[in-house]
Amino acid sequence: MKGLIPLGCAAILALAGCGNKKFEAIPDQDLADSMHECRMSQDQSPGMAIRCDNVERECKRRRNDGRYVC
C-alpha cells in the first residue's frame, strides 16, 4: 500500500508535466517532495527520468521567480 502512494504521485506529476499550466499549479510542498524522490532514486525508468526532468525544470522556473522550493 505504501508503494502505491509514490507511484500515484508519480503518475499525477507525469501527466501534469504534459502541460506547463498544469505543472505550474502543483503545490510547492508536492514539488519539493517529488524533487527529493528524484534525487534519492538510483535506477530510474524512462518515464520517471522524464518526470524528474519536468520537476527539475519547474524547480528552476520557480527559483528564477524568487521561490526557492527545491
Side-chain angles (χ1 to χ4, degrees):
M1 181 69 176
K2 277 191 167 186
L4 293 178
I5 293 172
L7 183 61
C9 290
I12 290 170
L13 288 175
L15 291 173
C18 295
N20 288 337
K21 297 292 181 185
K22 291 180 183 179
F23 203 73
E24 291 173 3
I26 295 173
D28 290 347
Q29 185 61 45
D30 291 346
L31 188 66
D33 291 344
S34 293
M35 190 67 195
H36 177 73
E37 181 183 342
C38 288
R39 288 180 178 154
M40 298 306 292
S41 66
Q42 294 180 2
D43 295 325
Q44 293 182 350
S45 67
M48 184 171 182
I50 291 170
R51 181 181 66 87
C52 289
D53 287 343
N54 289 335
V55 167
E56 183 177 358
R57 187 177 307 118
E58 181 62 17
C59 285
K60 286 180 183 178
R61 188 194 67 76
R62 292 183 190 194
R63 192 174 305 122
N64 289 337
D65 289 345
R67 295 169 49 201
Y68 296 92
V69 176
C70 326

